mmCIF file of all heavy atoms in Angstrom:
data_model
loop_
_atom_site.group_PDB
_atom_site.id
_atom_site.type_symbol
_atom_site.label_atom_id
_atom_site.label_comp_id
_atom_site.label_asym_id
_atom_site.label_seq_id
_atom_site.Cartn_x
_atom_site.Cartn_y
_atom_site.Cartn_z
ATOM 1 N N THR P 45 2.239 86.891 -43.563
ATOM 2 C CA THR P 45 2.624 87.999 -42.687
ATOM 3 C C THR P 45 1.848 87.907 -41.376
ATOM 4 O O THR P 45 0.720 87.421 -41.327
ATOM 5 C CB THR P 45 2.343 89.364 -43.349
ATOM 6 O OG1 THR P 45 0.964 89.460 -43.650
ATOM 7 C CG2 THR P 45 3.162 89.525 -44.612
ATOM 8 N N PHE P 46 2.485 88.372 -40.300
ATOM 9 C CA PHE P 46 1.854 88.437 -38.991
ATOM 10 C C PHE P 46 2.397 89.650 -38.265
ATOM 11 O O PHE P 46 3.413 90.211 -38.639
ATOM 12 C CB PHE P 46 2.092 87.154 -38.182
ATOM 13 C CG PHE P 46 3.538 86.906 -37.827
ATOM 14 C CD1 PHE P 46 4.027 87.294 -36.594
ATOM 15 C CD2 PHE P 46 4.396 86.302 -38.733
ATOM 16 C CE1 PHE P 46 5.359 87.072 -36.265
ATOM 17 C CE2 PHE P 46 5.721 86.079 -38.407
ATOM 18 C CZ PHE P 46 6.207 86.458 -37.180
ATOM 19 N N VAL P 47 1.703 90.092 -37.232
ATOM 20 C CA VAL P 47 2.127 91.253 -36.455
ATOM 21 C C VAL P 47 2.888 90.746 -35.233
ATOM 22 O O VAL P 47 2.357 90.005 -34.413
ATOM 23 C CB VAL P 47 0.929 92.116 -36.034
ATOM 24 C CG1 VAL P 47 1.386 93.283 -35.173
ATOM 25 C CG2 VAL P 47 0.192 92.625 -37.258
ATOM 26 N N PHE P 48 4.147 91.162 -35.130
ATOM 27 C CA PHE P 48 5.019 90.792 -34.019
ATOM 28 C C PHE P 48 4.845 91.825 -32.917
ATOM 29 O O PHE P 48 4.935 93.034 -33.169
ATOM 30 C CB PHE P 48 6.466 90.760 -34.524
ATOM 31 C CG PHE P 48 7.480 90.432 -33.480
ATOM 32 C CD1 PHE P 48 7.647 89.135 -33.048
ATOM 33 C CD2 PHE P 48 8.277 91.419 -32.932
ATOM 34 C CE1 PHE P 48 8.590 88.819 -32.087
ATOM 35 C CE2 PHE P 48 9.220 91.113 -31.969
ATOM 36 C CZ PHE P 48 9.371 89.813 -31.555
ATOM 37 N N LEU P 49 4.588 91.394 -31.702
ATOM 38 C CA LEU P 49 4.406 92.300 -30.559
ATOM 39 C C LEU P 49 5.489 92.051 -29.528
ATOM 40 O O LEU P 49 5.825 90.905 -29.234
ATOM 41 C CB LEU P 49 3.053 92.056 -29.885
ATOM 42 C CG LEU P 49 1.809 92.431 -30.652
ATOM 43 C CD1 LEU P 49 0.580 91.967 -29.910
ATOM 44 C CD2 LEU P 49 1.743 93.912 -30.888
ATOM 45 N N LYS P 50 6.043 93.144 -28.991
ATOM 46 C CA LYS P 50 6.961 93.033 -27.864
ATOM 47 C C LYS P 50 6.867 94.315 -27.056
ATOM 48 O O LYS P 50 6.350 95.326 -27.520
ATOM 49 C CB LYS P 50 8.391 92.772 -28.319
ATOM 50 C CG LYS P 50 9.077 93.942 -28.988
ATOM 51 C CD LYS P 50 10.528 93.608 -29.245
ATOM 52 C CE LYS P 50 11.297 94.839 -29.626
ATOM 53 N NZ LYS P 50 12.715 94.630 -29.641
ATOM 54 N N PHE P 51 7.371 94.272 -25.826
ATOM 55 C CA PHE P 51 7.350 95.473 -25.006
ATOM 56 C C PHE P 51 8.264 96.526 -25.619
ATOM 57 O O PHE P 51 9.358 96.229 -26.095
ATOM 58 C CB PHE P 51 7.815 95.176 -23.574
ATOM 59 C CG PHE P 51 6.809 94.433 -22.763
ATOM 60 C CD1 PHE P 51 7.065 93.156 -22.316
ATOM 61 C CD2 PHE P 51 5.605 95.014 -22.429
ATOM 62 C CE1 PHE P 51 6.144 92.462 -21.563
ATOM 63 C CE2 PHE P 51 4.667 94.345 -21.675
ATOM 64 C CZ PHE P 51 4.931 93.064 -21.254
ATOM 65 N N ARG P 52 7.792 97.774 -25.600
ATOM 66 C CA ARG P 52 8.583 98.869 -26.150
ATOM 67 C C ARG P 52 9.717 99.188 -25.182
ATOM 68 O O ARG P 52 9.509 99.408 -23.997
ATOM 69 C CB ARG P 52 7.693 100.104 -26.340
ATOM 70 C CG ARG P 52 8.399 101.277 -26.962
ATOM 71 C CD ARG P 52 7.409 102.403 -27.220
ATOM 72 N NE ARG P 52 6.628 102.755 -26.060
ATOM 73 C CZ ARG P 52 7.009 103.632 -25.140
ATOM 74 N NH1 ARG P 52 8.146 104.245 -25.241
ATOM 75 N NH2 ARG P 52 6.235 103.896 -24.114
ATOM 76 N N THR P 53 10.953 99.196 -25.696
ATOM 77 C CA THR P 53 12.114 99.464 -24.851
ATOM 78 C C THR P 53 12.796 100.773 -25.216
ATOM 79 O O THR P 53 13.790 101.137 -24.610
ATOM 80 C CB THR P 53 13.139 98.328 -24.958
ATOM 81 O OG1 THR P 53 13.502 98.159 -26.328
ATOM 82 C CG2 THR P 53 12.567 97.030 -24.426
ATOM 83 N N MET P 54 12.282 101.469 -26.219
ATOM 84 C CA MET P 54 12.868 102.732 -26.644
ATOM 85 C C MET P 54 11.788 103.809 -26.560
ATOM 86 O O MET P 54 10.605 103.517 -26.476
ATOM 87 C CB MET P 54 13.394 102.610 -28.075
ATOM 88 C CG MET P 54 14.489 101.568 -28.185
ATOM 89 S SD MET P 54 14.936 101.118 -29.864
ATOM 90 C CE MET P 54 15.194 102.648 -30.658
ATOM 91 N N LYS P 55 12.206 105.055 -26.602
ATOM 92 C CA LYS P 55 11.254 106.150 -26.546
ATOM 93 C C LYS P 55 10.507 106.259 -27.867
ATOM 94 O O LYS P 55 11.067 106.073 -28.939
ATOM 95 C CB LYS P 55 11.966 107.465 -26.239
ATOM 96 C CG LYS P 55 12.538 107.475 -24.845
ATOM 97 C CD LYS P 55 13.061 108.817 -24.468
ATOM 98 C CE LYS P 55 13.578 108.757 -23.047
ATOM 99 N NZ LYS P 55 13.987 110.031 -22.554
ATOM 100 N N HIS P 56 9.215 106.598 -27.776
ATOM 101 C CA HIS P 56 8.345 106.720 -28.937
ATOM 102 C C HIS P 56 8.645 108.023 -29.678
ATOM 103 O O HIS P 56 8.783 109.076 -29.066
ATOM 104 C CB HIS P 56 6.894 106.689 -28.468
ATOM 105 C CG HIS P 56 5.906 106.673 -29.565
ATOM 106 N ND1 HIS P 56 5.850 105.667 -30.494
ATOM 107 C CD2 HIS P 56 4.926 107.539 -29.891
ATOM 108 C CE1 HIS P 56 4.878 105.917 -31.337
ATOM 109 N NE2 HIS P 56 4.302 107.045 -30.991
ATOM 110 N N ASN P 57 8.753 107.963 -31.001
ATOM 111 C CA ASN P 57 9.023 109.119 -31.872
ATOM 112 C C ASN P 57 10.298 109.846 -31.476
ATOM 113 O O ASN P 57 10.356 111.075 -31.439
ATOM 114 C CB ASN P 57 7.846 110.087 -31.875
ATOM 115 C CG ASN P 57 6.637 109.490 -32.558
ATOM 116 O OD1 ASN P 57 6.767 108.649 -33.441
ATOM 117 N ND2 ASN P 57 5.459 109.909 -32.140
#
Side-chain angles (χ1 to χ4, degrees):
T45 59
F46 65 96
V47 177
F48 178 77
L49 292 173
K50 71 174 192 169
F51 286 115
R52 183 175 52 87
T53 56
M54 298 168 50
K55 293 188 178 185
H56 186 61
N57 292 332

